[in-house]
Amino acid sequence: MEKTFQIYYTSDTHGHIFPVNYASNCPENSGLLNLAAQVEKDGNTLVLDGGDSLQGTPLTQYYLEHCKKWPIHPVAAAFNAMGLDYFTLGNHDFNFGYEALRDYLQAMDGVCLCTNVEDLGGELRIRPWAVHTLANGLRVGITGVVTDFVNVWEQPQNLERIRVTDAFQAARATCAALREQCDVCVCIYHGGFEEELETGRVLSDSGENLACKIARELDFDLLLTGHQHMAVEGVNLSSTYAVQPPANAGQFLHISGKWEGTRSSFRSRLTAVGAIHPAEPYQSLLPLENAVQDWLDQPIGELDRTIPPEGKLEAALYGSQVAALFNQVQLTETGADFSCTSLGNDPVGLASPVTMRGVTAAYLFANTLVVLEVTEEVLRQTLERCAAYFTLVDGQPQISEEFLLPKVEHYNYDFYAGLSYTFDLRRPVGSRVIHLTKLDGSPLGSGKFRLCTSNYRATGTGGYEILRKCPVLWRGGTEMPDLTARYIQAHSPMPQLHNVEMRVIW
């Protein structure tokens, strides 16, 4: 007997609740509240989410810093308005510590499923899986899995009461347990595809992303992925149907399912979020949103000249004043010898007078600082990774596909301060650094140095594996947007910075 059902699926909404263009890569009509107005739910409908909901906008940043002043959790309120049934956790949902995660889960009407997260503190509302019986009698088994690279990226203090286990092994065990109890088996996986979907070419064997392995080796009917921020409307991988929505609540996936007694089939479409939002919880959250807007527009200080938006290739070739500012903040905060930082995927600048809106638009991440002990060889290897950002096309520099596919990763190109270095793009990747000294021209020699970087980069993510092996000398707890605001306040009007000598030849 044929039974049909539908699923609304979001992932990586990153705190985009209101239809406000906090970041340049957000569509005009976006936000969970607008999405809530488009969900049409009946007894044969499920609303699911793939995680990374707490981090990503000034609104969530402001709320988490002032949560005792506000009686309603904005992210939970938006998801509750959507009628969210089940969701899993993303790696960024751990960024703010155990208590912030606990409070979020307690405010949610939906059920958190994350089979590879063990709650050692006993206060998190997390289950490994669930079997949901629809009105038509169809039994849908659902589990959630988060990439176990949380253990690589997250600050140790945020995981003291949490254990994140092997993602694939947990998914395999849960799939086996669910299959006997359900008709349709669904995995919400906060991870992405490790292969190019069109060709099957392996993109990474790091284990961060395992969607193709899960699809081929486990017996899930439907695999709902995230994490990579790619738009995958629907793809068949072996006997599993897989999808992935883009980030920031600008689109969602509407999935139609059919079960015919022995097998299931799916169709899906990406749908843009509309311009309409429900009156509630919009009105209840509006005072918080207004407070955030006022906070964002508060002047912090001035620059002696505005920094216009910097193109990605041009900044990588000739240097970035925005990156120089972030590196100077890091050097001043830590007293390190050298610093490296990255920028987001979209061109950014900084207007004067500087506001918190400008700072949070330029520095998108909730990163803190780490100081590592490094040698000249470590620095040379990390710079070689940066030099791989370029390729030559007809003798002219372009951005390598390695940083563009399967998703855009400009944030994995690092800008340095305190050094003088030269890339020769005519040489093979891995041997392009032809000059490397201290900023004053003196050789690095055989000494050991202090390199300040983000807690994200310090884990070796993005092709910088050698940094993971370096001794940690210091860890900070304050996020970079706050440090940057303080620095600009203390040095206003802020002059142009010259804290690096870098050259690219081709």
Side-chain angles (χ1 to χ4, degrees):
M1 178 179 176
E2 179 181 296
K3 297 179 180 179
T4 61
F5 59 99
Q6 63 176 343
I7 294 172
Y8 291 86
Y9 177 58
T10 59
S11 187
D12 298 87
T13 54
H14 287 287
H16 286 266
I17 298 166
F18 279 81
V20 173
N21 201 6
Y22 285 123
S24 58
N25 62 341
C26 294
E28 181 178 351
N29 293 328
S30 64
L32 287 172
L33 292 178
N34 287 35
L35 196 158
Q38 293 178 261
V39 173
E40 297 179 2
K41 196 171 181 182
D42 59 19
N44 297 316
T45 301
L46 290 171
V47 182
L48 309 176
D49 181 77
D52 268 7
S53 306
L54 294 183
Q55 177 272 340
T57 59
L59 186 145
T60 53
Q61 175 188 344
Y62 182 88
Y63 168 78
L64 290 168
E65 291 176 359
H66 305 87
C67 58
K68 293 183 179 178
K69 292 176 55 179
W70 305 97
I72 182 172
H73 195 297
V75 180
F79 275 128
N80 293 344
M82 283 172 54
L84 185 69
D85 294 295
Y86 302 98
F87 63 102
T88 197
L89 298 175
N91 52 288
H92 283 296
D93 295 325
F94 298 88
N95 288 169
F96 306 99
Y98 187 89
E99 287 78 12
L101 181 57
R102 177 200 63 203
D103 294 346
Y104 169 58
L105 296 179
Q106 289 179 347
M108 292 284 277
D109 293 341
V111 178
C112 181
L113 305 175
C114 208
T115 192
N116 67 323
V117 170
E118 298 177 7
D119 173 23
L120 307 181
E123 299 181 51
L124 303 182
R125 294 178 55 201
I126 298 177
R127 293 168 54 184
W129 47 267
V131 176
H132 187 105
T133 302
L134 299 175
N136 60 18
L138 190 70
R139 298 170 302 164
V140 181
I142 311 167
T143 189
V145 185
V146 62
T147 173
D148 50 39
F149 265 50
V150 170
N151 293 318
V152 176
W153 298 320
E154 194 53 66
Q155 295 188 70
Q157 63 267 29
N158 289 343
L159 298 178
E160 288 176 353
R161 288 180 277 175
I162 295 170
R163 180 182 295 121
V164 181
T165 64
D166 183 277
F168 183 79
Q169 296 304 327
R172 176 158 61 184
T174 303
C175 184
L178 275 175
R179 273 281 48 145
E180 300 299 317
Q181 305 179 54
C182 65
D183 304 308
V184 178
C185 201
V186 179
C187 179
I188 313 171
Y189 172 48
H190 190 86
F193 301 99
E194 70 273 33
E195 299 174 10
E196 192 172 64
L197 294 176
E198 294 80 7
T199 66
R201 178 174 66 93
V202 175
L203 299 168
S204 172
D205 59 0
S206 68
E208 175 189 349
N209 297 301
L210 298 166
C212 298
K213 180 179 175 69
I214 290 172
R216 293 199 178 101
E217 298 185 23
L218 304 183
D219 194 20
F220 289 108
D221 299 300
L222 179 62
L223 182 60
L224 307 173
T225 72
H227 185 55
Q228 283 175 318
H229 301 181
M230 298 196 315
V232 179
E233 195 160 35
V235 61
N236 285 298
L237 297 174
S238 188
S239 60
T240 301
Y241 189 80
V243 300
Q244 185 174 136
N248 297 340
Q251 291 179 293
F252 63 93
L253 275 155
H254 191 189
I255 305 164
S256 300
K258 182 190 298 183
W259 186 75
E260 298 174 286
T262 58
R263 65 184 182 89
S264 54
S265 59
F266 301 92
R267 292 180 295 107
S268 54
R269 70 177 189 270
L270 279 166
T271 303
V273 172
I276 300 171
H277 57 77
E280 284 296 335
Y282 182 92
Q283 291 297 330
S284 296
L285 292 174
L286 197 55
L288 170 61
E289 167 66 4
N290 290 336
V292 172
Q293 295 297 331
D294 290 342
W295 170 67
L296 286 172
D297 288 330
Q298 292 175 5
I300 295 168
E302 303 211 1
L303 312 178
D304 69 352
R305 66 184 73 180
T306 290
I307 303 173
E310 301 171 329
K312 306 312 295 182
L313 180 60
E314 291 73 19
L317 287 170
Y318 303 111
S320 160
Q321 272 294 300
V322 175
L325 167 62
F326 296 147
N327 273 324
Q328 196 60 46
V329 172
Q330 295 182 181
L331 290 171
T332 301
E333 179 70 15
T334 65
D337 302 302
F338 313 121
S339 175
C340 67
T341 192
S342 61
L343 301 175
N345 279 339
D346 296 304
V348 294
L350 200 59
S352 185
V354 182
T355 63
M356 278 303 300
R357 189 183 301 277
V359 171
T360 56
Y363 201 102
L364 298 173
F365 314 108
N367 290 337
T368 54
L369 300 183
V370 176
V371 176
L372 303 175
E373 183 179 89
V374 299
T375 62
E376 178 179 1
E377 180 57 26
V378 170
L379 293 169
R380 188 172 293 274
Q381 288 193 38
T382 59
L383 286 167
E384 288 289 358
R385 171 60 177 164
C386 296
Y389 182 76
F390 305 100
T391 189
L392 291 180
V393 177
D394 297 329
Q396 295 300 307
Q398 300 293 330
I399 298 168
S400 168
E401 285 190 354
E402 185 177 353
F403 289 77
L404 300 175
L405 299 172
K407 67 171 182 175
V408 176
E409 296 180 334
H410 295 302
Y411 53 79
N412 281 331
Y413 177 87
D414 281 353
F415 298 84
Y416 278 74
L419 291 172
S420 174
Y421 55 95
T422 301
F423 299 154
D424 185 347
L425 304 188
R426 299 168 297 185
R427 297 171 63 90
V429 170
S431 61
R432 287 177 164 180
V433 179
I434 62 171
H435 165 79
L436 175 59
T437 67
K438 296 178 183 177
L439 188 56
D440 62 7
S442 60
L444 292 166
S446 58
K448 295 180 178 179
F449 307 97
R450 295 163 298 163
L451 171 68
C452 181
T453 186
S454 69
N455 61 310
Y456 176 82
R457 185 66 77 231
T459 63
T461 301
Y464 298 86
E465 289 82 3
I466 194 170
L467 293 180
R468 190 183 309 164
K469 305 172 185 177
C470 295
V472 174
L473 303 178
W474 178 87
R475 289 184 184 273
T478 306
E479 295 173 7
M480 265 296 288
D482 293 328
L483 293 175
T484 302
R486 293 178 197 172
Y487 181 87
I488 293 172
Q489 284 177 323
H491 296 83
S492 181
M494 203 184 75
Q496 279 197 308
L497 297 166
H498 302 281
N499 51 22
V500 66
E501 292 289 341
M502 63 90 64
R503 185 181 177 212
V504 183
I505 58 176
W506 61 90

